[in-house]
Amino acid sequence: MEQLLERKNIEERYKWSTEAMFATDDEWEREFQSVAQTVEADLFATMRGHLQEGASTVLLYLTTSEEIERRLGVLHIYAHMKNDQDTREQIYQAMLSRVQMMAAVLAEQTSFFEPEILALPSDALAAYVQSEELAPYRHLMDNIIRHKPHVLSSETEAVLASLSDTLGSEGDVFSLLTNADFDHGSISVEEEEYKVTEGRMGLLLRNPNREVRRLTYERVYDTYLAHKNTVASLYAYNVKTDVAVARVKKFSSAREMALFSKRIPESVYDALIAGVKENLSYHHRYLELRKKVLGLDSVRMYDKYVPLAAEERKHYDFAEGFALVKEGLRPLGDEYGAILDQAVSDRWIDVYESAGKRSGAYSTGFYATKPYVLLNYQGEYDSVSTLAHELGHSMHSYLTWHTQPPHYAHYSIFLAEIASTVNETLLVNHLLRTTDDQKLRASLINQQLDSMTATIYRQTMFAEFEWLAHRRVEEGQALTHDTLCELYGSLNDEYHGSAFARDGRSSAEWSRIPHFYHSYYVYQYATGMSAALAFAERILNGGSQNVDKYLGFLRSGAKDYPLEVLKEAGLDMTDPTIVTQGLSMYGELLKEMESLIG
């Protein structure tokens, strides 16, 4: 049986450079103690209660908070990266917890700012916003003022801030439970043994041997079902926390609260679900094609990911995968390519799976660090596409961090999935443009259909599930394992159509989705891909002007509200036809796929 490598046996060039932040844990500890002393001294004591004295006091608060948050941010990134590279190491769990507790103390100290600002008379507040001293912070101040109906008294905000380390901890517990404690064991098929992990599940579910897929699926879901009441309770409390905080903050719903902070109308969420549901026939047709090509009576959950077209049997080592990504992203220009090279030379990327490493992939970092990437690279095309995706996030971060001041050196989650999906789309379009091989073309279209299915149809189904789950709590109903499975199973039937056959395990898929602990996050994958398809089409067909607009979008960070940032780049996300256009492209690809292999 293949064993996972221990981290110490992986070459340094394939590990992210945490030493760029702190050379050793001892150095981290010294900085932590220094920051702790600064936080304990309460830098904001002389400002608390004095914001009415003038814009200069407000400016002092903003610059002081930026500096301490910068130092705390680097401490946090280091601790969470070290924790994720080996979740078995309790020292890093403790370091991460200590940073989170210190952040909670800092949040409590600074919780006075918004209530005190918003308590100012309207004329004084208007003068602050228009003052020369606060000109660099004008959008930030405007956004604060917009929150006035939902900011509570200083005392109440301080209480909420003091609980920030506790509220929402369900996701941390879920992560530890599923990454560190769950063991899915191994399966044996035709004298071949396979180690089953979260990181390998995707690869095993693409295995052409249906028995490998079925046993993998059963092994993973049986682990979750063995802990069904614990996992259901974690998610239920997560939803209850959202609902309770929304009510305290005087929002009509948890969804309104989640979307309000970046001024995203709830109509965008509703339009996404409606637009996808109007085009479910494409997805149903794709499942029918899958059923026909695989020769199945019905499509099970474990049949959804196996390729329908013969894949290129090439294994891409990491250097080859990176070179392919870079070539696919060539339309974005030489500067973009040069920065991509830094991702390898400066060791942004933690490449390979190892014992105890967190599953999946993500981009992380902070404007005072590198834009790091965690992978569990397996060498198939999926891994190459994931590399392109995560580098999209990191390039977005890099260009924002090197353009915007600290207070705008981030970007909304609503925008976050656009850059990553543009990269994936450019990669597959590059490959489609450079081959006449019908088998390879079918394989690439298969890949793109699967990507669009996972990102638009699947994530929209997730979005509807969490919306309905939150509504149930808001209406006073209980969330249990059985009620959540009933809700999820019904959505599975609707989104997949008659070719799909559900079972008790497929109805429990909600229980292993970590993004549900970041409420109202997943819909942005679907809106992001819709926007990305529009951007990619313009980049490929519209010349350098559209490339410049897109790169301008990547540099914009949080300088304006998300919909305004996109409008500046030429994309109006309030236009409902953007989702429809993306699914029309899905339909065209499906039509060609049916002619190639149907």
Side-chain angles (χ1 to χ4, degrees):
M1 181 175 66
E2 183 184 358
Q3 297 292 322
L4 288 177
L5 286 172
E6 290 294 332
R7 187 169 184 82
K8 65 183 180 181
N9 296 325
I10 295 176
E11 292 181 55
E12 286 299 306
R13 60 182 171 143
Y14 298 123
K15 300 177 188 177
W16 50 22
S17 57
T18 56
E19 70 276 8
M21 292 176 282
F22 300 102
T24 64
D25 293 347
D26 288 341
E27 185 177 316
W28 181 94
E29 183 64 33
R30 287 192 292 273
E31 172 66 357
F32 180 88
Q33 294 300 332
S34 176
V35 172
Q37 290 175 9
T38 303
V39 171
E40 288 168 7
D42 190 358
L43 297 172
F44 305 98
T46 60
M47 306 168 211
R48 199 175 294 114
H50 296 277
L51 296 184
Q52 79 281 5
E53 294 176 0
S56 59
T57 305
V58 175
L59 180 62
L60 177 62
Y61 167 85
L62 293 170
T63 55
T64 301
S65 60
E66 279 180 2
E67 174 58 20
I68 193 64
E69 287 168 4
R70 179 192 65 78
R71 296 176 67 190
L72 191 60
V74 179
L75 287 166
H76 177 266
I77 294 298
Y78 180 90
H80 107 73
M81 286 171 58
K82 296 288 273 190
N83 180 59
D84 285 357
Q85 71 187 33
D86 191 343
T87 59
R88 303 169 302 176
E89 292 283 355
Q90 294 187 13
I91 182 177
Y92 298 119
Q93 295 174 25
M95 287 166 63
L96 185 57
S97 178
R98 291 165 66 201
V99 174
Q100 289 168 340
M101 287 189 290
M102 190 193 301
V105 173
L106 182 63
E108 185 175 359
Q109 291 178 356
T110 58
S111 64
F112 74 94
F113 179 72
E114 290 190 14
E116 194 171 320
I117 278 286
L118 294 176
L120 292 171
S122 298
D123 55 349
L125 194 55
Y128 279 18
V129 172
Q130 295 302 320
S131 69
E132 184 177 345
E133 289 174 289
L134 294 178
Y137 297 89
R138 192 155 291 156
H139 171 61
L140 182 149
M141 295 294 292
D142 178 68
N143 199 31
I144 290 172
I145 294 169
R146 193 173 61 86
H147 283 72
K148 187 169 185 175
H150 306 288
V151 174
L152 309 174
S153 68
S154 298
E155 293 79 8
T156 306
E157 291 288 350
V159 170
L160 286 176
S162 71
L163 293 173
S164 62
D165 188 44
T166 303
L167 296 174
S169 60
E170 298 89 359
D172 294 332
V173 176
F174 175 84
S175 180
L176 280 173
L177 180 68
T178 57
N179 286 294
D181 294 344
F182 278 10
D183 183 355
H184 304 306
S186 60
I187 61 172
S188 182
V189 179
E190 297 177 357
E191 300 183 354
E192 186 79 23
E193 196 161 3
Y194 303 86
K195 176 69 175 173
V196 180
T197 68
E198 290 285 345
R200 293 183 177 185
M201 183 183 179
L203 186 61
L204 291 171
L205 289 181
R206 293 171 62 82
N207 193 298
N209 188 324
R210 199 182 193 205
E211 190 70 357
V212 172
R213 304 198 304 271
R214 181 182 69 82
L215 290 175
T216 297
Y217 166 77
E218 292 180 355
R219 185 59 58 89
V220 170
Y221 280 90
D222 284 351
T223 303
Y224 282 84
L225 288 170
H227 300 82
K228 64 181 184 180
N229 294 318
T230 299
V231 176
S233 293
L234 284 173
Y235 183 60
Y237 278 112
N238 186 77
V239 175
K240 289 177 183 178
T241 298
D242 293 338
V243 172
V245 173
R247 285 174 177 165
V248 169
K249 289 279 194 176
K250 303 176 184 176
F251 288 97
S252 63
S253 68
R255 187 177 74 164
E256 184 193 14
M257 179 177 70
L259 274 58
F260 179 86
S261 64
K262 299 303 177 185
R263 208 169 68 172
I264 305 297
E266 289 188 85
S267 59
V268 171
Y269 201 102
D270 293 331
L272 169 67
I273 294 173
V276 168
K277 285 194 168 186
E278 288 172 5
N279 291 276
L280 282 176
S281 60
Y282 293 136
H283 190 216
H284 295 174
R285 265 174 56 195
Y286 188 40
L287 267 290
E288 292 288 352
L289 179 63
R290 181 169 290 279
K291 174 182 170 181
K292 176 182 177 182
V293 171
L294 296 178
L296 304 174
D297 292 332
S298 59
V299 176
R300 297 280 183 170
M301 182 72 77
Y302 50 83
D303 298 317
K304 287 174 54 182
Y305 308 104
V306 62
L308 299 186
E311 291 183 291
E312 185 182 9
R313 293 291 180 182
K314 181 176 180 181
H315 177 90
Y316 299 90
D317 66 30
F318 182 70
E320 292 170 328
F322 180 80
L324 183 59
V325 168
K326 190 177 176 186
E327 184 62 28
L329 302 182
R330 186 179 292 276
L332 294 176
D334 293 341
E335 179 191 8
Y336 195 97
I339 300 170
L340 283 175
D341 287 336
Q342 290 183 41
V344 172
S345 62
D346 290 353
R347 291 174 41 225
W348 296 0
I349 309 171
D350 205 76
V351 178
Y352 294 114
E353 185 179 15
S354 57
K357 184 177 177 181
R358 175 174 169 161
S359 62
Y362 63 70
S363 172
T364 189
F366 187 62
Y367 69 83
T369 74
K370 301 179 191 301
Y372 291 104
V373 172
L374 180 139
L375 299 177
N376 282 275
Y377 189 84
Q378 302 290 339
E380 79 290 357
Y381 177 76
D382 241 14
S383 288
V384 178
S385 184
T386 298
L387 173 62
H389 179 103
E390 299 304 339
L391 284 173
H393 287 307
S394 287
M395 289 295 295
H396 193 180
S397 297
Y398 181 94
L399 290 171
T400 289
W401 298 345
H402 284 75
T403 306
Q404 298 300 327
H407 47 284
Y408 298 143
H410 58 281
Y411 42 83
S412 164
I413 293 172
F414 186 83
L415 302 177
E417 296 304 325
I418 296 174
S420 55
T421 312
V422 164
N423 277 17
E424 286 187 79
T425 305
L426 292 177
L427 175 63
V428 74
N429 271 274
H430 162 69
L431 293 170
L432 284 172
R433 289 196 316 273
T434 55
T435 182
D436 294 323
D437 185 312
Q438 295 301 294
K439 290 183 179 180
L440 179 56
R441 188 170 184 83
S443 177
L444 292 170
I445 292 173
N446 189 177
Q447 292 276 357
Q448 185 69 344
L449 283 171
D450 284 346
S451 176
M452 295 173 75
T453 297
T455 308
I456 299 181
Y457 285 112
R458 177 176 164 84
Q459 300 300 331
T460 301
M461 188 183 81
F462 285 176
E464 186 171 7
F465 168 77
E466 64 175 333
W467 175 47
L468 294 174
H470 280 77
R471 280 180 58 190
R472 288 195 176 192
V473 171
E474 288 164 347
E475 293 168 359
Q477 300 179 50
L479 293 182
T480 66
H481 181 267
D482 289 344
T483 59
L484 288 164
C485 286
E486 178 187 357
L487 173 59
Y488 195 88
S490 297
L491 289 171
N492 257 336
D493 292 343
E494 181 180 7
Y495 276 75
H496 291 84
S498 60
F500 177 76
R502 68 155 135 160
D503 55 46
R505 294 183 181 90
S506 66
S507 295
E509 184 185 30
W510 63 267
S511 65
R512 57 173 298 271
I513 308 301
H515 278 123
F516 285 160
Y517 293 88
H518 301 277
S519 301
Y520 295 109
Y521 181 101
V522 295
Y523 86 98
Q524 293 157 125
Y525 285 111
T527 56
M529 171 163 262
S530 300
L533 291 170
F535 271 132
E537 192 276 333
R538 297 176 188 187
I539 289 166
L540 292 171
N541 301 312
S544 60
Q545 182 179 5
N546 282 339
V547 173
D548 290 342
K549 283 185 177 181
Y550 175 69
L551 294 178
F553 155 70
L554 296 184
R555 292 186 172 95
S556 294
K559 72 175 187 177
D560 206 340
Y561 298 109
L563 295 185
E564 300 307 313
V565 167
L566 287 172
K567 283 182 182 178
E568 187 176 336
L571 200 63
D572 182 1
M573 284 302 293
T574 63
D575 182 352
T577 63
I578 291 177
V579 174
T580 302
Q581 289 170 359
L583 292 177
S584 294
M585 295 171 65
Y586 183 101
E588 290 300 314
L589 288 169
L590 176 58
K591 183 178 179 180
E592 182 173 354
M593 188 71 170
E594 289 168 333
S595 69
L596 288 169
I597 67 170

